[in-house]
Structures are given as C-alpha cells and as structure tokens.
Amino acid sequence: MKKPRILIITLLIFASFQCFGQEYSSRAIDGNGFDSVFQNMESGNFSGTINGVLIVRDSENKESLLDFQGSYAKLEIEKDEDEVYDVSYKKYTGKTTSGKTEIKYETYAYANSIGIEFKGEYYDLSLIDGACDLVINGLEYSYKSENSAEYLIIRITKEIELMNRYDSKIRKAIKLLPNSTLVLAINRN
C-alpha cells in the first residue's frame, strides 16, 4: 500500500514542477545583457524624452492606445550596495502625452522588468530576482548611441501579461500587445 502512495506523490510533485516550468519559460528567455553606455555606471540621474505608442488590452478585453509624443522621460541609476550581479539598477520612466499614464522599465544584470500605471492601478512583470539571468519573452530592446544621447528602443513582439499588485483586493491582468514601440532618448550629460 505504501509503494503506490509514494509513486503517486512522486508523480504529482514531478507534474507540478513541469507545469510551473512551462509557465515560467513562456514568460522568460535567457538574457544576453544590455549594451548601454550607462551599463557600468554606479549612480546618476539623466533626463530625456519618450516617443511611440503602447497598445494595452485591459481586464475587460478593451484595447487602449497610449501615445508618447516627445513626453518627459528619465533614467535613474541606483547603486547596488551589495553588487551581487551588477553595480546598479537602471530605472527608465516615461509618461504619456496626456501625463496620465506612466511606464517603467528597469534592468539589472541580465534581467529586466516592465510596469505601467494604468487607470489608477500599477501592473508589472519583473524577472529581476535571485538569478537575474532571464529577460521578458516578447519584449525586444536595443540601444543606439550618439555623442549627446542614447536611444533605448523597446518593441513588444507578442502579448505580455502584466499583473496588478499582490496586495490588491482583486487580482487583475492587462496585456501589452504586439506592434507597441517606445523610444526613450536619454541625454548623456
């Protein structure tokens, strides 16, 4: 009687690991670093602008187009006192043209996160954790640099689900949709 019970428990544990691994791997891929001129800086504050559009599907399945047209953006570089995987956190922030919605993008080591203040609630997906070697699947990024500025180009290539905070009364999700593109132009001085 004990042998079948142990076999069933072992099978259930293995199945739960498989289910968890599949969900996590659909949201993350291996990171390859961030080729930014700011990558090795320990601290600093830089201003800039953000342009582009972000297409969002809310929890009621309604789509919104958020425009960013020369709106305010900034990069805050915060030193990691422990320097476990990186010397600092790079925190990019930008606002929509109306100023009502804010987007946040962060990198640390080989990992990234994205969040949005949308209709009075904050939603995000972060892969910055204990390992810091995975990036968000469906979020492509590239850096282009010139003497006075660096451009961070973020493209959404497939749906990315963001969740509201765990302490919210009702857990909800929104989705960032493909063809969303943002360009943050951060002044280097």
Side-chain angles (χ1 to χ4, degrees), residues 57-72:
R57 182 178 301 133
D58 67 16
S59 58
E60 297 170 356
N61 213 28
K62 293 180 185 169
E63 285 187 19
S64 298
L65 181 70
L66 306 175
D67 71 320
F68 299 81
Q69 302 303 321
S71 303
Y72 177 75

Side-chain angles (χ1 to χ4, degrees), residues 13-25:
I13 291 171
F14 179 72
S16 68
F17 284 146
Q18 282 296 102
C19 291
F20 174 75
Q22 289 173 353
E23 172 63 26
Y24 190 67
S25 66

Side-chain angles (χ1 to χ4, degrees), residues 57-138:
R57 182 178 301 133
D58 67 16
S59 58
E60 297 170 356
N61 213 28
K62 293 180 185 169
E63 285 187 19
S64 298
L65 181 70
L66 306 175
D67 71 320
F68 299 81
Q69 302 303 321
S71 303
Y72 177 75
K74 67 181 177 179
L75 167 61
E76 294 176 282
I77 301 174
E78 180 182 305
K79 182 173 175 49
D80 178 4
E81 296 298 330
D82 300 320
E83 289 190 31
V84 178
Y85 295 107
D86 200 344
V87 296
S88 59
Y89 294 87
K90 289 73 174 177
K91 300 178 181 184
Y92 297 85
T93 307
K95 292 192 180 239
T96 55
T97 306
S98 68
K100 294 179 182 176
T101 304
E102 184 173 79
I103 184 131
K104 295 179 182 181
Y105 178 73
E106 185 174 345
T107 66
Y108 179 81
Y110 293 100
N112 60 2
S113 72
I114 192 163
I116 182 172
E117 181 76 33
F118 184 71
K119 295 184 179 177
E121 202 159 0
Y122 187 72
Y123 298 84
D124 73 334
L125 172 61
S126 179
L127 298 178
I128 299 174
D129 63 5
C132 286
D133 60 349
L134 298 173
V135 294
I136 297 169
N137 190 8

